[in-house]
Amino acid sequence: MGGTSAGDASSTGGVLYVVATPLGNLEDVTLRALRILKEVALIACEDTRRTSRLLQAHGISTPTTSYFEHNEKWKGDRILDVVRHGRSAALVSDAGTPGISDPGFRLVRDARAEGLAVVPVPGPSAVVAALSVSGLPSDRFTFVGFLPSRSGARARALAELAPRRETLVFYESPLRVVAALTDMLAALGDREIFLCREATKIHEEYVRGTTSSVLALLAARPEVKGEIVLVVSGAGEAPPASKDDVAATYAALVAAGRTRREAVKETARRHALPAREVYALVLKTSA
């Protein structure tokens, strides 16, 4: 579809545009995005310094204001005030599509709650970029975003994701990626995985391998830098566990010091069975 949409017409009143911007390469921006950024009265940026590089590269002098997690409560109202008075504003993030793992969704939510016009200007997205070159199934996927920073919470989150059969997509900090991969290996097993680091930037890196091989690669480096997306294959089709397999798993967990309740829960998770079914089997074999 081409041309000017109804949402682009200033005669309809103020509009909040949600504008996708380049992940790294400043050429990865749409003609429409550049036009909107020139025409609006204000651009709300996650970091005005980063956005200014894009604006300068394309000769755009529109005023900017910061909008991020720690000022969103009071700054959001000031941004929407522009739209309330019949002018338009644009929301951008540091890179990619606003609202994906950043506070932008709250501004959109507040605008919609007031009945203000909100229009997307689509473009780059780190999730889609990584999926598109991963070689892993993309017909169904779950975008997890960032895992918890603490190991215990991260392990629990991964345990819940373990039975999922669709491809899983994660954002991860370079400071935590080795720890996260270590927990993934323990919770999900040694799966096919794709590392997308610094997409479209000078030092971009794309690695296809297994969880253990990518973990070894990054762990051997003195330091890991850059924005990271991890694309992980879903759980494979496993043959149904036999009663002996289930009983053996439970017995090994109890022998390792787990309580009966913990052993039942973990056995159920490992074999993708209801806990009540495992408990019933354990009662029969111990009777």
Side-chain angles (χ1 to χ4, degrees):
M1 297 188 298
T4 301
S5 72
D8 283 354
S10 59
S11 60
T12 62
V15 176
L16 174 65
Y17 292 101
V18 180
V19 183
T21 54
L23 301 175
N25 192 315
L26 296 183
E27 294 179 349
D28 294 336
V29 63
T30 69
L31 294 175
R32 183 181 173 215
L34 292 177
R35 176 176 63 79
I36 293 296
L37 293 175
K38 287 179 182 178
E39 293 177 354
V40 295
L42 182 68
I43 301 172
C45 318
E46 190 174 356
D47 185 333
T48 56
R49 294 167 299 180
R50 291 190 62 168
T51 300
S52 69
R53 292 198 286 269
L54 173 67
L55 300 181
Q56 290 170 9
H58 294 284
I60 299 172
S61 57
T62 305
T64 60
T65 188
S66 63
Y67 176 77
F68 55 96
E69 184 178 2
H70 298 296
N71 73 0
E72 61 180 336
K73 289 185 178 179
W74 63 271
K75 185 61 77 70
D77 189 61
R78 295 173 68 173
I79 295 165
L80 293 185
D81 209 37
V82 172
V83 183
R84 295 183 189 112
H85 286 84
R87 296 181 296 164
S88 293
L91 171 67
V92 300
S93 63
D94 283 349
T97 302
I100 311 301
S101 288
D102 72 33
F105 84 91
R106 296 185 178 94
L107 187 66
V108 172
R109 177 188 60 194
D110 293 346
R112 291 214 171 275
E114 290 188 35
L116 300 174
V118 182
V119 173
V121 182
S125 165
V127 178
V128 175
L131 268 171
S132 71
V133 293
S134 69
L136 290 169
S138 56
D139 54 332
R140 292 181 65 228
F141 67 91
T142 291
F143 173 56
V144 181
F146 287 97
L147 287 164
S149 58
R150 294 182 180 276
S151 182
R154 186 166 58 237
R156 289 191 293 274
L158 288 166
E160 291 180 5
L161 293 166
R164 304 290 289 266
R165 299 197 182 280
E166 70 273 23
T167 299
L168 305 173
V169 186
F170 303 86
Y171 283 166
E172 195 48 80
S173 158
L175 300 177
R176 294 195 303 265
V177 67
V178 170
L181 286 168
T182 300
D183 288 341
M184 282 185 190
L185 185 59
L188 308 181
D190 205 11
R191 298 188 182 184
E192 286 186 273
I193 191 170
F194 179 76
L195 167 74
C196 172
R197 189 180 66 82
E198 290 289 85
T200 78
K201 299 177 185 178
I202 294 174
H203 300 293
E204 63 188 345
E205 180 181 26
Y206 306 101
V207 178
R208 174 79 182 265
T210 60
T211 309
S212 59
S213 68
V214 173
L215 171 59
L217 174 72
L218 297 184
R221 296 179 180 178
E223 185 180 17
V224 180
K225 296 181 179 180
E227 306 292 333
I228 293 171
V229 183
L230 296 171
V231 185
V232 182
S233 62
E237 292 287 346
S242 69
K243 292 181 179 180
D244 288 342
D245 289 336
V246 174
T249 300
Y250 172 80
L253 289 166
V254 171
R258 300 285 187 97
T259 66
R260 290 184 61 181
R261 183 176 180 179
E262 291 171 342
V264 166
K265 187 175 180 180
E266 178 62 15
T267 300
R269 186 190 70 78
R270 291 188 186 184
H271 293 288
L273 293 170
R276 63 179 180 277
E277 188 174 322
V278 173
Y279 184 69
L281 176 63
V282 167
L283 285 179
K284 283 184 180 180
T285 55
S286 62

